[in-house]
């Protein structure tokens, strides 16, 4: 029976080790898998939005830049989706390899457990006689040794029962692992089929994009005229914005000068009044001193006539007083001055300064001016979608949205201008301290100059681009007379 003892600890702990290995293998990529699934859903949602935008632009009678833009967006997003599917397939392949290793390990462990259990059964069969058991107990050299042998027999029978349970649990774990392996293989087949379908759709989108691009290149003259007209309109808008901002700067400077002049005048008036009060007090004190001196002189004359003059008394010589030596006082080290905000005439008042600081604090967190839409023209200079040798500047961002959809203020402030720009619709300029937000290409307006607006308040509606059959609105952000990139200020979607 002592030959069975070396197997006890190894066989007892084997299933626990297998389960721990399985959990370690499955928990490692769990978070990455969740991120991948979330990214796939986001990409699919963006593809659906681009497809809806494409369907709207297709309602136009001829091809447009909006169609080309939507097709390029679809191609880019679908390529990213295919890459995500490939990453998912790699994850599944890794799971399949791990599952195969676990299945092989479990099968070997199960074979080992069965072989060892068979040895136990054979040994128990050979020593099944009750006489042998009793002889093993009563052949002990002492009573304590007999008790220990009896307890050992009980533990041995319990060990055999646990071995049988381990075989059953290992078999169940093996079956579960095999099922997981089969499900992963099915999932890999579905992913491969999805990737194949997406690649076919991607090729179709590329073909359609090339057709639209070729047709647009055939209308190069018309497109060049449109580009030139848009540049002229953009220059008019920029001039109008700069004029408004310069007027605000001049107005703020004029108010600051008037306030400074008023402060100086008030200070001089106060100084004059204080000087007059000081002179009056000095004159009254002098008059009072003269009266007191006259009264004192009169009293002294009367006293001199009635009493003898006393002999003069010599005063003892005064010793020079030694002045104490002053010890140098150590001055405490002055802390370095904190960085101060540069003065700006547009922040001359506490309210304007607070509004500027609040606007800056919301950088990257400002809301979009529309409820739904996507950016179709980005800030800065970029190549034209059709004629790559032509560059097109954009002073802000152009957002494609619902035709006639509401346009909202992205921050609280005061409306400084509401004007009509030829070819661009209405334009609204709102001041936020030293910052200005400009909303161009509006179909209607709901505010007027001088109105105070809140964040998210509707100020107008988006214009309609008849060629592309969609709504449009342009957002510009200025810091003084310097243009800013709106994409760095509004929150990401």
């Amino acid at each position: 029976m002592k030959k069975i003892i070396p197997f006890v600890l190894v066989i007892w702990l084997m299933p626990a080790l297998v389960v721990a290995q399985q959990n370690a293998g499955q928990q490692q990529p769990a978070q990455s898998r969740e991120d991948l699934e979330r990214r796939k859903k986001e990409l699919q949602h963006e593809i659906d939005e681009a497809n809806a935008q494409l369907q709207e632009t297709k309602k136009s009678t001829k091809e447009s830049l909006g169609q080309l833009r939507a097709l390029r967006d679809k191609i880019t997003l679908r390529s990213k989706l295919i890459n995500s599917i490939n990453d998912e397939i790699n994850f599944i392949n890794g799971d399949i390899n791990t599952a195969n290793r676990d299945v092989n390990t479990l099968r070997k462990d199960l074979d080992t457990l069965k072989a060892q259990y068979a040895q136990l059964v054979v040994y128990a069969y050979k020593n099944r006689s009750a006489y042998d058991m009793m002889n093993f107990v009563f052949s002990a050299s002492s009573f304590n040794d007999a008790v220990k042998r009896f307890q050992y027999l009980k533990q041995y029978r319990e060990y055999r029962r646990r071995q049988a349970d381990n075989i059953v649990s290992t078999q169940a774990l093996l079956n579960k692992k095999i099922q997981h392996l089969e499900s992963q293989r099915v999932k890999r087949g579905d992913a491969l089929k999805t990737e194949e379908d997406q690649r076919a759709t991607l090729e179709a989108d590329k073909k359609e994009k090339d057709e639209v691009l070729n047709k647009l290149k055939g209308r190069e003259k018309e497109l060049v005229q449109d580009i030139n007209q848009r540049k002229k309109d953009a220059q008019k808008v920029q001039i109008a914005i700069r004029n408004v901002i310069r007027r605000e700067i001049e107005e703020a400077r004029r108010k600051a000068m008037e306030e400074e002049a008023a402060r100086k005048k008030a200070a001089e008036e106060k100084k004059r009044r204080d000087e007059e009060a000081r002179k009056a007090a000095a004159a009254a004190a002098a008059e009072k001193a003269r009266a007191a001196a006259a009264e004192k002189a009169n009293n002294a004359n009367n006293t001199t006539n009635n009493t003898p003059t006393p002999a003069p008394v010599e005063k003892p010589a005064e010793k020079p007083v030694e002045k104490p030596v002053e010890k140098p006082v150590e001055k405490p080290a002055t802390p370095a001055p904190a960085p101060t905000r540069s003065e700006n005439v547009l922040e001359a008042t506490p309210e304007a300064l607070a509004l500027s600081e609040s606007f800056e604090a919301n950088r990257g967190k400002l809301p979009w001016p529309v409820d739904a839409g996507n950016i179709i023209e980005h800030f800065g200079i970029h190549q034209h979608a059709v004629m790559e040798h032509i560059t097109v500047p954009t002073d802000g961002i152009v957002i494609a949205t619902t035709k006639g959809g509401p346009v909202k203020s992205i921050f609280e402030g005061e409306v400084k201008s509401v004007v009509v720009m030829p070819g661009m619709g209405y334009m609204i300029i709102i001041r936020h301290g030293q910052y200005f937000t400009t909303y161009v290409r509006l179909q209607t307006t709901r505010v007027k100059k001088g109105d105070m607006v809140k964040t998210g308040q509707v100020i107008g509606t988006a214009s309609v681009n008849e060629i592309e059959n969609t709504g449009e609105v342009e957002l510009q952000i200025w810091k003084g007379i310097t243009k800013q990139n709106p994409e760095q200020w509004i929150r990401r979607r």
Side-chain angles (χ1 to χ4, degrees):
M1 184 170 293
K2 294 181 179 179
K3 297 179 181 180
I4 305 301
I5 296 176
F7 299 105
V8 173
L9 293 177
V10 175
I11 300 175
W12 195 359
L13 297 176
M14 189 174 296
L17 294 174
V18 172
V19 173
Q21 182 180 4
Q22 177 194 15
N23 292 337
Q26 288 183 346
Q27 291 177 0
Q28 181 75 16
Q31 186 63 33
S32 299
R33 179 74 57 84
E34 292 176 0
D35 293 341
L36 185 61
E37 290 294 333
R38 182 172 63 254
R39 181 56 182 158
K40 279 178 58 182
K41 291 180 180 179
E42 292 175 355
L43 286 171
Q44 189 59 54
H45 178 68
E46 292 179 10
I47 289 174
D48 294 339
E49 287 184 347
N51 194 50
Q53 187 70 28
L54 178 61
Q55 296 304 320
E56 286 294 324
T57 57
K58 282 185 176 180
K59 294 178 182 179
S60 178
T61 56
K62 57 183 179 180
E63 291 73 15
S64 65
L65 294 176
Q67 291 184 32
L68 182 60
R69 227 172 359 244
L71 285 168
R72 284 179 172 172
D73 290 343
K74 280 182 63 179
I75 291 171
T76 301
L77 293 171
R78 202 174 298 280
S79 297
K80 292 180 180 179
L81 180 60
I82 291 174
N83 291 335
S84 297
I85 294 174
N86 287 331
D87 292 339
E88 182 183 12
I89 292 173
N90 291 334
F91 272 119
I92 295 173
N93 287 333
D95 288 345
I96 290 175
N97 293 334
T98 303
N100 277 324
R101 288 193 299 268
D102 292 344
V103 167
N104 293 333
T105 302
L106 287 172
R107 282 174 175 165
K108 291 179 181 178
D109 294 341
L110 187 60
D111 292 341
T112 303
L113 288 173
K114 287 180 179 179
Q116 292 171 348
Y117 188 74
Q119 293 179 5
L120 294 176
V121 172
V122 170
Y123 183 84
Y125 177 77
K126 291 180 179 180
N127 298 277
R128 66 186 182 277
S129 172
Y131 174 77
D132 294 336
M133 296 294 180
M134 296 298 293
N135 186 35
F136 175 72
V137 174
F138 287 107
S139 63
S141 59
S142 65
F143 178 77
N144 289 336
D145 188 23
V147 171
K148 290 180 180 180
R149 291 189 178 194
F150 180 74
Q151 291 176 346
Y152 175 77
L153 290 175
K154 287 178 62 178
Q155 292 175 357
Y156 178 71
R157 284 194 293 270
E158 178 65 20
Y159 168 72
R160 286 174 56 191
R161 186 190 63 79
R162 284 200 303 269
Q163 281 298 96
D165 293 341
N166 287 341
I167 291 174
V168 173
S169 62
T170 304
Q171 183 67 56
L173 186 61
L174 176 61
N175 294 336
K176 182 179 179 181
K177 203 67 180 178
I178 292 174
Q179 291 177 358
H180 176 70
L181 177 61
E182 293 301 322
S183 66
Q184 291 298 99
R185 286 172 176 168
V186 172
K187 187 181 293 186
R188 180 176 63 179
D190 294 340
L192 289 171
K193 181 66 168 59
T194 302
E195 184 199 20
E196 183 180 354
D197 295 341
Q198 291 293 337
R199 287 192 181 278
T201 307
L202 178 63
E203 292 301 321
D205 290 341
K206 288 181 178 179
K207 184 178 179 181
E208 184 178 0
K209 186 260 295 183
D210 292 338
E211 292 176 355
V212 173
L213 182 59
N214 291 332
K215 291 180 180 179
L216 286 173
K217 286 183 176 179
R219 295 163 44 202
E220 183 173 350
K221 185 177 180 180
E222 178 184 348
L223 292 175
V224 170
Q225 292 177 352
D226 180 68
I227 292 171
N228 294 332
Q229 184 60 43
R230 280 178 173 267
K231 285 183 178 180
K232 292 178 180 178
D233 295 339
Q235 288 176 355
K236 293 178 181 178
V237 169
Q238 187 174 133
I239 292 173
I241 294 173
R242 290 183 182 276
N243 288 338
V244 171
I245 295 175
R246 287 194 179 96
R247 283 200 302 269
E248 287 299 311
I249 293 174
E250 293 299 326
E251 180 67 16
R253 185 176 288 114
R254 183 186 62 80
K255 289 183 178 179
M257 292 175 64
E258 290 178 353
E259 291 176 359
E260 182 65 21
R263 281 195 298 268
K264 287 183 178 180
K265 185 176 180 181
E268 291 175 356
E269 181 66 20
K270 183 176 182 301
K271 183 178 180 181
R272 185 185 62 80
R273 289 197 300 268
D274 292 344
E275 183 65 19
E276 290 178 355
R278 186 187 65 79
K279 289 181 178 180
E287 182 64 26
K288 185 176 180 181
R290 284 195 297 271
E295 183 179 358
K296 185 177 180 180
N298 189 23
N299 293 335
N301 292 333
N302 294 334
T303 304
T304 302
N305 294 330
N306 297 328
T307 58
T309 302
V313 181
E314 294 184 359
K315 294 183 180 180
E318 295 181 356
K319 296 182 179 181
V321 180
E322 296 182 358
K323 295 183 179 180
V325 179
E326 296 182 357
K327 296 182 179 180
V329 180
E330 296 183 358
K331 296 182 178 180
T334 57
T340 57
R341 188 182 183 91
S342 59
E343 293 185 2
N344 191 311
V345 69
L346 293 173
E347 297 175 340
T349 64
E351 296 80 9
L353 177 60
L355 201 57
S356 290
E357 292 176 342
S358 179
F359 191 89
E360 291 173 352
N362 284 275
R363 184 184 180 94
K365 298 180 289 186
L366 295 173
W368 280 49
V370 294
D371 294 329
N374 59 292
I375 299 174
I376 59 176
E377 291 185 24
H378 298 271
F379 176 81
I381 300 175
H382 50 84
Q383 290 180 334
H384 191 264
V386 178
M387 293 162 291
E388 297 181 353
H389 61 282
I390 296 179
T391 57
V392 181
T394 306
D395 296 326
I397 57 174
V398 180
I399 304 173
T401 184
T402 308
K403 291 184 291 185
V407 178
K408 304 175 182 179
S409 172
I410 65 172
F411 203 72
E412 61 178 311
E414 181 181 358
V415 178
K416 288 299 180 181
S417 178
V418 180
V419 296
V420 177
M421 302 302 300
M424 303 287 283
Y426 283 97
M427 178 181 71
I428 297 176
I429 301 176
I430 301 176
R431 180 184 170 187
H432 320 276
Q434 69 165 324
Y435 292 91
F436 296 83
T437 55
T438 304
Y439 310 81
V440 196
R441 309 188 192 190
L442 302 182
Q443 188 176 27
T444 61
T445 62
R446 297 186 183 179
V447 293
K448 62 183 183 300
K449 182 179 179 180
D451 287 351
M452 302 299 296
V453 296
K454 299 294 183 181
T455 304
Q457 179 178 335
V458 177
I459 59 175
T461 57
S463 63
V464 179
N465 188 323
E466 299 294 346
I467 298 178
E468 299 187 3
N469 195 35
T470 185
E472 283 184 354
V473 62
E474 180 178 351
L475 172 67
Q476 297 184 22
I477 298 179
W478 294 67
K479 182 180 181 180
I481 57 174
T482 305
K483 291 177 286 187
Q484 304 286 305
N485 184 356
E487 291 185 66
Q488 297 177 355
W489 289 86
I490 59 176
R491 67 171 66 104
R492 295 187 62 183
R493 283 190 169 180

